Amino acid sequence: MIDIFPIIFGLFFTIFLVVFIYNVVMNIRQWHKNNQSPRLSVDATVVTKRSHTSHNHHHHNGHMHTASSTSYYVTFQVQSGDRMELRVKSYDYGMMVEGDYGVLTFQGTRFLEFERKYNG
């Protein structure tokens, strides 16, 4: 009789490895594409903000550990009406309010800066 465990384990390990390598390659590709993109500064308005918190639970030596991380995103609308959602740092996220108008500087999908303009 054939022991099926090594086959299933090998299959899952192979799938995991392929998915992991794919993610690494795609992240490097996006990083390279961003580096090759021009830095653009455009007038933009903060349309929406959102955050995503992920929780990870794992056991180690009989103890349960919990870790969480939060990613912050802001959607900007430029003068043409196009919208783009960019991942931002927590500090930048906290400094922006929906409706803020200013100059957005970005490079590809990489947020660089948002300088608020004051009407006065």
Side-chain angles (χ1 to χ4, degrees):
M1 186 166 161
I2 298 175
D3 188 8
I4 197 160
F5 177 75
I7 296 170
I8 292 174
F9 178 78
L11 181 65
F12 279 114
F13 180 76
T14 302
I15 291 170
F16 172 79
L17 190 60
V18 168
V19 169
F20 179 78
I21 291 170
Y22 175 80
N23 283 329
V24 168
V25 169
M26 294 307 291
N27 284 332
I28 290 171
R29 190 174 179 195
Q30 185 64 53
W31 175 82
H32 179 72
K33 185 177 177 184
N34 283 341
N35 287 342
Q36 300 304 312
S37 298
R39 288 178 176 235
L40 299 175
S41 294
V42 296
D43 289 342
T45 302
V46 174
V47 179
T48 60
K49 295 169 44 171
R50 72 178 180 91
S51 61
H52 175 75
T53 303
S54 61
H55 302 280
N56 297 312
H57 306 280
H58 61 277
H59 295 275
H60 182 68
N61 293 334
H63 299 289
M64 185 168 142
H65 299 276
T66 302
S68 64
S69 65
T70 304
S71 299
Y72 300 94
Y73 302 89
V74 176
T75 301
F76 297 93
Q77 182 170 324
V78 297
Q79 288 179 332
S80 67
D82 292 334
R83 292 183 176 195
M84 65 181 79
E85 183 180 65
L86 300 174
R87 186 174 178 174
V88 301
K89 294 178 182 172
S90 61
Y91 174 80
D92 295 312
Y93 181 87
M95 296 302 290
M96 290 183 240
V97 177
E98 290 180 12
D100 278 351
Y101 175 76
V103 177
L104 168 65
T105 304
F106 64 99
Q107 186 177 21
T109 61
R110 185 182 300 143
F111 172 85
L112 298 174
E113 179 183 27
F114 181 73
E115 186 176 339
R116 192 177 302 111
K117 286 185 178 179
Y118 295 99
N119 295 334

